[in-house]
Amino acid sequence: MLTTVERVQTAAEKALSDYFAGTDIADSARGAEVRRAAMVRFQEQGLPHRRIEEWKYTDLRTAMREAPALPETGDALAAGDLSAYAAGYRAVFVNGRLDTAASELPEAAGVTVTSLAEALEADAGLAERLDGAMEGADSPVRDLNTAFADQGMVIAIADGATLDRPLQIIHRFVGEAPASVFLRHALRVGDNATATVAEVFEGPDGLAYHVNTAARIDVGTQANVTYLRLQADGTQAFNLATLEADIGAGAELTLIAASFGAALSRVQASVKFSGEHAILKHGGLKMLRGKQHADLTMFVDHAVPNCVSEELEKTVLDDAARGVFQGKIVVRPDAQKTDGRMMTQALLLSEGAEADNKPELEIYADDVQCGHGATSGQIDETLLFYLRSRGIPESQARSLLIQAFAGEVVDEIEDEALRGIVAGHAARWLGVELDV
Amino acid sequence: MLEIKNLHAKVAEEDTEILKGLDLTVSAGEVHAIMGPNGSGKSTLSNVLAGKEDYEVTDGEVLYKGEDLLELEPDERAAAGVFMAFQYPVEIPGVATMTFLKAALNAQRKARDEDELSTPEFMRLVKEASTKLNVSQEMLRRPLNVGFSGGEKKRNEIMQMALLQPSLCILDETDSGLDIDALRIVADGVNQLRGGDRGIVVITHYQRLLDYIVPDVVHVMSRGRIVRSGGKELALELEKSGYAAYSEEDKAA
């Protein structure tokens, strides 16, 4: 049925429509039709709001009052100091544009890193993988990404190849004028191949820039992939992300999402098992204060038998911060011997903080092991007292316990340099020196 | 070293007094044993001395080296040299044992205006203390007390005591849950800390531990007070006759 009432566009929705109308998409790498269709879907739905179940706790329509303009096309901006990052491979995007001078891309055999445009030309299957949304990943936010994102990194690891060092995709926002940045990345890891990729986000505090990224990850048979997301954006930023992953038989994917920054952030992740005996490990960490809001919404699709998924989400909230975790595991009728576990724990450091945990299991197979748990609480006074009784002052004892709480997720990061960077953010959040 | 005068205490927000006028004096270099039946107030005494916030002192005073102990925060008490070996040491997942030991040692040193220890110096001290208490490298690598057996936890407590070198040691039911081998190791660890100016208070229900840590003075606690004090032979007497006499005596009084 057609709606008879014209939906009233919000200022942000109207601005986004206007930006799109002002963009020349004729020669677009993604294809003008794909982009236009995505914009139409966005315009029909508008920004998601609390009456849509999956957005109940993150009312984007209300929160996103404005949409800053697209970045100026002019001289490229300098990335600045990157010494805080691990040595090794990096693709540096400054305000949405690849800074080739600051980047150091791998040139190993079997490893191909190209721009989205180049990759779409070289790989006919890529467009198809990027266009259709996986179940649990579709949203107006993803549509916006499809409509606007014409750039990004495409990483392909050939069968049997190994990316010898982690590749960091650094999204840095610089300058004093806010802008809306859209990027689309893809990672394809071949059979028996290994790779670690880290997406990092950062920018100045107090500047309301918006970042919308989407990434598609394909993990080949028996492949081993770690995908880390470190969101340390400025205090007024919006960071909206879509992650889609498909895991092949016998493969292992470790997803880590750590969120420290942004006024509002949301990661919508969808992971599908398409081959048996595969493993997904997800570790999520949020450390928030002030009025920060961070949402991780995850959909795990056990489409085939004999796969294991483990999710551990840890949230530390101070002041009036709000953390949202929505995790849904679907076990399809054929997916016998599924082992699916989900645990979400929130540590509330103040009266005004709020943690919303929504674990969901939908099980259609009868021979499975699935479980979920959710806890919210304060720092354990018994543990605090024990530490103090050994001479550790209260504030230091609190920090130790918070670090310990967060550490369970941080320790899942195998690469030492990347683990150190995330641990460093956690320590900075606590205002303590890292005792290495 | 420690002077407790007319101490009255209760669980905060409850009416019933648990300690009802307890007096105890421990001089430097002495080992005192406090024995008593369940419910006599032994745990409350140790919790009050450690500074647990769930307890409220309603009357009396506790002087440590002549200063008011009750005025100090738990961490200040530790830095001043008071150590409590807990009956139930907690497990703290995510806090590495070594990180914890270093934080504790350096926090105490800092509070006493001493320099922080260098890592090699710290490692040397830990090795010394852990060898004495049969605490393995593997245990030290684990998060604090996580997956430790009851005996391992108690050994870890005494190892911390050996490392921190306190002036006043309070052992709260350290023998509970220990088999005979662990009991011997723990007792040896405590005996090595005896002497000098150090005061040790051993709180226990059973006489068994006192075969290994021979006290200078034995106190019997009943209904929140010390009702009798004597030499080490008092412990043996209690072993034979039990606590019934004291409960009755106290009731009659």
Side-chain angles (χ1 to χ4, degrees), chain A residues 69-88:
Chain A
L70 300 175
E72 302 259 339
T73 52
D75 292 338
L77 295 155
D81 182 22
L82 292 165
S83 58
Y85 293 94

Side-chain angles (χ1 to χ4, degrees), chain A residues 20 39 72 75 83 103 182 190 217 287 293 328 337 406-407 426:
Chain A
F20 187 78
M39 194 63 208
E72 302 259 339
D75 292 338
S83 58
S103 298
F182 297 88
I217 305 163
M287 297 181 88
H293 178 118
K328 184 172 182 177
K337 307 284 180 193

Side-chain angles (χ1 to χ4, degrees), chain A residues 50-239:
Chain A
R50 66 178 191 282
R51 285 186 302 279
I52 296 170
E53 184 61 22
E54 307 91 272
W55 294 82
K56 185 175 165 189
Y57 303 110
T58 301
D59 189 336
L60 197 58
R61 188 177 292 176
T62 304
M64 194 168 145
R65 291 170 187 280
E66 287 168 22
L70 300 175
E72 302 259 339
T73 52
D75 292 338
L77 295 155
D81 182 22
L82 292 165
S83 58
Y85 293 94
Y89 305 130
R90 15 169 105 137
V92 183
F93 286 89
V94 182
N95 294 15
R97 200 163 356 149
L98 183 67
D99 180 340
T100 42
S103 298
E104 191 190 334
L105 303 178
E107 285 174 17
V111 178
T112 319
V113 180
T114 48
S115 72
L116 183 63
E118 286 170 296
L120 282 165
E121 211 161 291
D123 176 2
L126 179 61
E128 198 183 323
R129 290 204 302 281
L130 297 188
D131 290 350
M134 284 174 55
E135 186 173 345
D138 206 2
S139 77
V141 168
R142 190 185 184 279
D143 287 331
L144 277 177
N145 185 278
T146 304
F148 284 103
D150 208 27
Q151 292 190 50
M153 275 288 86
V154 178
I155 303 143
I157 315 291
D159 291 352
T162 297
L163 182 62
D164 60 339
R165 287 185 291 173
L167 169 62
Q168 300 161 88
I169 303 175
I170 298 170
H171 305 85
R172 178 172 276 191
F173 200 92
V174 300
E176 283 159 20
S180 296
V181 170
F182 297 88
L183 287 166
R184 173 68 65 108
H185 306 301
L187 167 67
R188 187 175 206 186
V189 181
D191 299 347
N192 298 296
T194 304
T196 296
V197 173
E199 277 194 76
V200 182
F201 298 85
E202 55 164 49
D205 285 341
L207 189 69
Y209 62 96
H210 290 196
V211 182
N212 178 327
T213 61
R216 165 79 193 216
I217 305 163
D218 286 276
V219 183
T221 303
Q222 304 280 352
N224 194 317
V225 176
T226 296
Y227 201 86
L228 169 73
R229 206 172 175 284
L230 167 59
Q231 188 270 100
D233 271 315
T235 49
Q236 292 304 312
F238 272 53
N239 185 310

Side-chain angles (χ1 to χ4, degrees), chain B residues 52-250:
Chain B
K52 199 147 195 189
E53 279 161 10
D54 324 355
Y55 292 85
E56 192 185 318
V57 172
T58 48
D59 200 6
E61 61 177 355
V62 178
L63 299 178
Y64 167 70
K65 293 182 175 173
E67 307 280 334
D68 184 355
L69 184 72
L70 302 177
E71 277 294 297
L72 301 178
E73 293 292 325
D75 46 292
E76 293 170 335
R77 295 181 195 198
V82 179
F83 183 94
M84 171 73 60
F86 289 99
Q87 183 178 4
Y88 303 109
V90 295
E91 297 189 9
I92 310 190
V95 175
T97 303
M98 292 299 266
T99 306
F100 159 74
L101 293 176
K102 199 173 181 186
L105 198 53
N106 279 333
Q108 293 201 12
R109 292 180 69 91
K110 199 175 160 194
R112 295 192 295 258
D113 285 327
E114 295 166 12
D115 286 339
E116 292 201 350
L117 285 176
S118 69
T119 302
E121 179 70 358
F122 166 72
M123 297 301 282
R124 192 183 63 75
L125 290 176
V126 171
K127 189 151 196 257
E128 213 176 277
S130 57
T131 309
K132 267 185 216 160
L133 273 304
N134 205 11
V135 170
S136 66
Q137 291 299 306
E138 195 271 325
M139 282 167 69
L140 291 174
R141 272 194 294 272
R142 275 188 263 170
L144 188 59
N145 287 329
V146 173
F148 284 23
S149 69
E152 286 174 334
K153 283 180 189 167
K154 296 298 174 71
R155 260 153 50 203
N156 197 17
E157 289 290 284
I158 306 304
M159 192 268 284
Q160 291 173 35
M161 194 165 99
L163 181 69
L164 297 169
Q165 295 282 318
S167 304
L168 175 66
C169 309
I170 302 155
L171 280 66
D172 187 10
E173 309 264 0
T174 295
D175 50 335
S176 68
L178 288 189
D179 61 30
I180 196 73
D181 292 331
L183 188 69
R184 222 172 255 145
I185 294 168
V186 162
D188 284 349
V190 175
N191 285 329
Q192 286 179 28
L193 290 168
R194 281 185 87 144
D197 287 340
R198 188 166 289 130
I200 299 177
V201 178
V202 180
I203 298 172
T204 183
H205 184 91
Y206 299 103
Q207 187 266 339
R208 193 176 65 149
L209 178 65
L210 305 180
D211 285 342
Y212 299 93
I213 306 171
V214 180
D216 299 306
V217 186
V218 174
H219 305 275
V220 181
M221 191 166 172
S222 177
R223 293 165 185 272
R225 291 188 301 128
I226 301 289
V227 292
R228 194 176 160 195
S229 302
K232 64 186 178 216
E233 62 287 347
L234 180 55
L236 296 167
E237 188 188 313
L238 278 172
E239 180 76 356
K240 282 195 199 120
S241 58
Y243 293 111
Y246 296 97
S247 308
E248 292 310 308
E249 192 177 290
D250 196 41

